[in-house]
Amino acid sequence: MVASSTPQPLLRMEGITKSYGNVQVLHGVDLEVGRGEVLGLLGENGAGKSTLLNVLNGVIGREGGSVLIDGQPVEFAGPKQAQEAGLAFIHQELSVLPYLSVAENIFIGRLPRRKGMPWLVDWASCYRRAGEILERLGVRIDPRTMVGRLGTAEQELVEIAKALSMNARIITMDEPTASLTEAEIERLFTLMRQLKADGVSVLYVSHRLDEVGEICDRATILRDGKIVTTVDAKTTGSHALATMMVGRELSELFPKTEHERGPETLRVSDLSTPKLKNVSLTAHRGEILGLAGLVGSGRTELARAIFGADPITSGEIFVEGEKVTIDSPGAAIRHGIGLVPEDRKHQGAVLSMSNAQNISLACMSKVSRLGQLNRGAERQEARRLIQDLQVYPPRAEQETGRLSGGNQQKVVLAKWLFAGSKILIVDEPTRGVDVGARAAIHGLINDLAGQGATIIMISSDLPEVMGMSDRILVMHEGRVAGELARKDFSEEAIVMYASGLEPTTSGPEPAVAGLEPTREGSNA
Amino acid sequence: MSTLLAQNPGRQREAKASRTRRLPIQGQQLALVVLIALLAAVFTTQSPEFLSVASIENLLRSASMFGIVGLGLTIVVISTGSIGGIDLSVGSMMALGGAIGAGLLGTAFGAANPVQLPAALSMLIALVVTAALGALSGLLISLLKLAPFAVTLGMMSVARGLTYLVIAWAIGSSNTAGVTFSDPLFDVFGLGMVGPIPTITVLFLVLAALIAFVLKATTFGRSLFVLGGNAENARLAGINVRRTIIIVFALSGLLAGLGGLILTGRLSSASPLAATGYELEVIMVAVIGGTSLAGGRGSILGTVLAAILVSEIDTGLDMMNVDSFYQYLVKGTILVVAVVLDKAYQARSSRKLVQQSA
């Protein structure tokens, strides 16, 4: 079932455009899904996949272009209309209601009513019909079971059952295998093949490139809000797919300054948490260590574990050669570690407080004596940092919530400068930040490294992480999947490691220690 | 880089927002002052007695009692509002504090009086017990991450039960009518004056000033606001969240115990049914004073003014011989209006934030 074998595609999207504010996210996207076809939709984080899926399923409106089902143009005012037109959207984060039964979840909002007494639910028919749908799917689950007691995979099957109960003809699955085990994935794939046979089409989003070849007929690659190409998924290898996903030159300039790499400042050995498996790393004075990987690969979890924000189950942390116990963020701060979290608005800055109060937050003892704040000194220190970092507007008394995203981020960075952190972990430091402030933040991070700080930078933006880092660790499913020295940086290599594959096309990196083949089963 | 920053399009908007920002809170306090004056005028025209020395003294004593307990509750809500922080046990804690303070004196009329302690010591024990029970609430909330509403509702019941036990033990009978006594130190609460001002009002104002200072000018006070804004944020800033929550609830227990001693002193009697329903009165004082139940925002000045307002309504309506049911009606209405205003303020500021980030 290659590109043009379907005379009339079941779904056709033409010239879809969408922008948020001044940022155009989709630039005229065309897409076709044939009847009974599984179409893979591939792209890096931020390529516009989610936006496209949301437009398709009526979650958000589009600005331009048209959507045709069976050749008929359709308009959805909301998700409900999309559902009525035969679309179903299974999100990565499942939306089942854990305390309701399987049958209730399937028929939620449209439970069958008793004849003559429409205010009463016809439970007999509800369970019978749910049972029929589950049987059709070949799933052996009692419709009376509480959904919360099922495993993730089974919950996903319930979602699919719900989609079928609404006579969905086009099912969108956003990373359905992200939290499934090998066996569960096989089961899902079997089910998908059956759906295909029944003429149901699936739009399948996954970061696991090996799966795409296994289950998809064709794959459409989205990059920077544009369709790059559509290829035959069966004959195109994972490596080729990865190259197409990345496919761009390092066009943006990053002010990478070379500085001397000093002695080791941070060593993490065999760190494990429920989300991390035996992570080891070292970082040095004056070094920017990049942490790449897909969203959910454990980068943020690693940052939080080192910072003492999440408990660790095993492993050791050494700061400047000494073993330290970090059981709370307070302990991390005392050992000179700072964290600029991903969620700036809820974890980085206290938006209701002033810039000065935010800046002194992690080290109030510096401007206080016997617990009494010297607010004059606090404001003065804050003004100095606000000036140094060019926070705009440059006012210590300004409420931080009133600043733009980039300026808020500078205030968060100022907090750690104030606290005198020697090891700074920055998680997606430029997400949601405009271009000018982005450059300023990059410059600042470089300056800090130049002054001898150790920076660990998490970023999903490959040009950013490659442009800024001295060394990159790539994470995959809670492990360090690979390590790249600056001379070996390539987007392909990072994407390969991040997808759980080994880069073989580019020169293999012999110094990759601790690289373990993951998910061997489906690499075939 | 500086030119890029100077072109920031949000700058006029930001500057404007910052200028108008502080007004609503001050506006709320101003509204309280106006309301207090307005009601005073109304009450005086209806019943000239309202402006008499005795009436104002009574008003101040009542306001001081609710105000002192309200200070503790204000701290609880400011610092733990983000996790649904509330202390429903303050009324029962007042009763318990009063019962212990009076029961240990051993001077109750016609009672067993198993022990006889100096008044200062019995008061101290009362405060230690209520503070400890408050700390226990805080421990359960922070350690087991239980809902403050549920924990303090339980503590409300436990403290009430303990009050019965203490009084039954003091009078040596399970016929728990109450402990009636006379003690010079306790009389200070009901009768003591510093110049023209009741002693407990001076105590209230000193405590209010002290707490206002702690909130505004100490690292501990700062951390309370951070915690109340967002507990995760506080934790990531290195604040010891668990310890802070325990301290805050202990303080609430302590101040409720003090309020209970004042109540007992004013009545010269401790009853197992004392201060029933006072928790609502106290929560009202904090909320009308502008403390956001969502946490992270509140003012001690507001609490002081609200304590005066609520007591003014009680006293004034009493003097007009208005049925107490109407008092509930009036206070309830003012409470709801205060919450609506708070909501409007929050909606406005979050709308601004959205505009800002868009």
Side-chain angles (χ1 to χ4, degrees), chain A residues 68-69 115 156 163 205 230 252 285 289-290 303 340 353 364 370 374 394 418 448 455 475 489 518:
Chain A
L68 297 96
I69 294 178
K115 283 207 183 66
E156 204 153 294
V205 176
T230 298
E252 288 166 72
R285 201 179 135 83
L289 174 65
V340 176
M353 301 208 316
M364 285 189 277
L370 299 172
N374 180 342
F418 178 86
L448 286 173
I455 310 280
M475 296 197 65
F489 284 179
T518 45

Side-chain angles (χ1 to χ4, degrees), chain B residues 206-227:
Chain B
V206 168
L207 283 173
L210 186 71
I211 289 171
F213 173 79
V214 167
L215 286 180
K216 212 173 169 62
T218 68
T219 56
F220 178 71
R222 181 73 58 78
S223 64
L224 295 185
F225 281 100
V226 180
L227 178 58

Side-chain angles (χ1 to χ4, degrees), chain B residues 2-358:
Chain B
S2 57
T3 48
L4 267 171
L5 291 168
Q7 284 161 0
N8 185 343
R11 96 194 217 216
Q12 265 112 14
R13 216 163 42 203
E14 280 168 12
K16 208 164 152 195
S18 80
R19 232 178 288 131
T20 54
R21 169 180 92 78
R22 290 192 182 279
L23 273 177
I25 294 178
Q26 286 176 351
Q28 197 161 344
Q29 290 162 1
L30 198 68
L32 285 175
V33 173
V34 171
L35 201 55
I36 289 170
L38 214 66
L39 281 177
V42 172
F43 289 142
T44 310
T45 54
Q46 296 296 310
S47 149
E49 281 293 285
F50 183 78
L51 275 187
S52 71
V53 172
S55 145
I56 288 177
E57 187 193 321
N58 184 38
L59 189 162
L60 286 178
R61 285 194 197 278
S62 163
S64 304
M65 180 183 74
F66 286 122
I68 285 173
V69 185
L71 290 175
L73 195 86
T74 302
I75 300 174
V76 165
V77 175
I78 284 177
S79 61
T80 61
S82 60
I83 56 165
I86 193 84
D87 189 350
L88 298 177
S89 69
V90 289
S92 299
M93 290 282 213
M94 285 175 77
L96 179 62
I100 294 173
L104 297 183
L105 282 176
T107 58
F109 304 131
N113 295 324
V115 293
Q116 278 200 325
L117 297 181
L121 187 58
S122 69
M123 285 184 187
L124 185 68
I125 292 172
L127 295 180
V128 169
V129 171
T130 53
L133 288 177
L136 180 62
S137 294
L139 188 75
L140 292 170
I141 289 162
S142 63
L143 205 65
L144 304 180
K145 301 201 189 320
L146 303 178
F149 189 96
V151 170
T152 59
L153 187 64
M155 188 54 78
M156 172 178 168
S157 187
V158 167
R160 183 62 67 183
L162 289 175
T163 307
Y164 274 97
L165 289 178
V166 169
I167 288 177
W169 168 80
I171 61 179
S173 128
S174 57
N175 176 21
T176 52
V179 173
T180 308
F181 65 100
S182 170
D183 178 89
L185 191 58
F186 270 94
D187 285 346
V188 170
F189 293 138
L191 303 170
M193 300 289 276
V194 176
I197 305 168
T199 312
I200 54 170
T201 302
V202 174
L203 179 65
F204 172 41
L205 294 178
V206 168
L207 283 173
L210 186 71
I211 289 171
F213 173 79
V214 167
L215 286 180
K216 212 173 169 62
T218 68
T219 56
F220 178 71
R222 181 73 58 78
S223 64
L224 295 185
F225 281 100
V226 180
L227 178 58
N230 181 328
E232 179 66 2
N233 222 327
R235 208 165 71 87
L236 291 182
I239 291 165
N240 188 333
V241 172
R242 194 170 292 168
R243 193 178 63 197
T244 310
I245 290 176
I246 293 172
I247 291 175
V248 158
F249 277 90
L251 264 177
S252 177
L254 178 82
L255 290 169
L258 180 56
L261 291 173
I262 291 172
L263 176 69
T264 304
R266 291 177 73 204
L267 301 173
S268 280
S269 126
S271 147
L273 292 172
T276 306
Y278 279 20
E279 54 282 333
L280 296 180
E281 201 94 349
V282 172
I283 291 169
M284 216 179 268
V285 164
V287 172
I288 292 175
T291 297
S292 164
L293 286 175
R297 208 153 51 75
S299 103
I300 293 299
L301 178 59
T303 298
V304 172
L305 292 173
I308 294 171
L309 178 69
V310 168
S311 300
E312 180 183 31
I313 294 168
D314 284 338
T315 314
L317 294 182
D318 260 347
M319 295 181 75
M320 285 166 62
N321 288 320
V322 173
D323 199 312
S324 65
F325 297 119
Y326 290 103
Q327 301 185 19
Y328 286 121
L329 203 78
V330 170
K331 283 188 289 189
T333 306
I334 292 179
L335 176 76
V336 172
V337 168
V339 174
V340 168
L341 287 177
D342 180 62
K343 194 87 188 164
Y345 169 78
Q346 278 179 11
R348 223 182 66 165
S349 43
S350 65
R351 204 161 47 237
K352 273 194 190 137
L353 284 183
V354 169
Q355 280 170 3
Q356 218 68 124
S357 56

Side-chain angles (χ1 to χ4, degrees), chain A residues 80-138:
Chain A
K80 201 155 170 77
Q81 279 90 338
Q83 279 173 12
E84 284 159 5
L87 290 160
F89 194 173
I90 298 173
H91 296 264
Q92 188 178 0
E93 301 290 329
L94 297 179
S95 56
V96 290
L97 302 162
Y99 297 110
L100 295 184
S101 70
V102 170
E104 283 170 290
N105 265 283
I106 292 175
F107 292 111
I108 190 81
R110 36 193 192 96
L111 289 165
R113 305 307 167 93
R114 279 201 173 168
K115 283 207 183 66
M117 286 186 282
W119 56 89
L120 289 180
V121 175
D122 185 349
W123 290 110
S125 139
C126 180
Y127 290 128
R128 183 173 41 75
R129 283 170 56 192
E132 281 166 13
I133 294 165
L134 292 170
E135 198 174 336
R136 182 179 145 205
L137 290 173

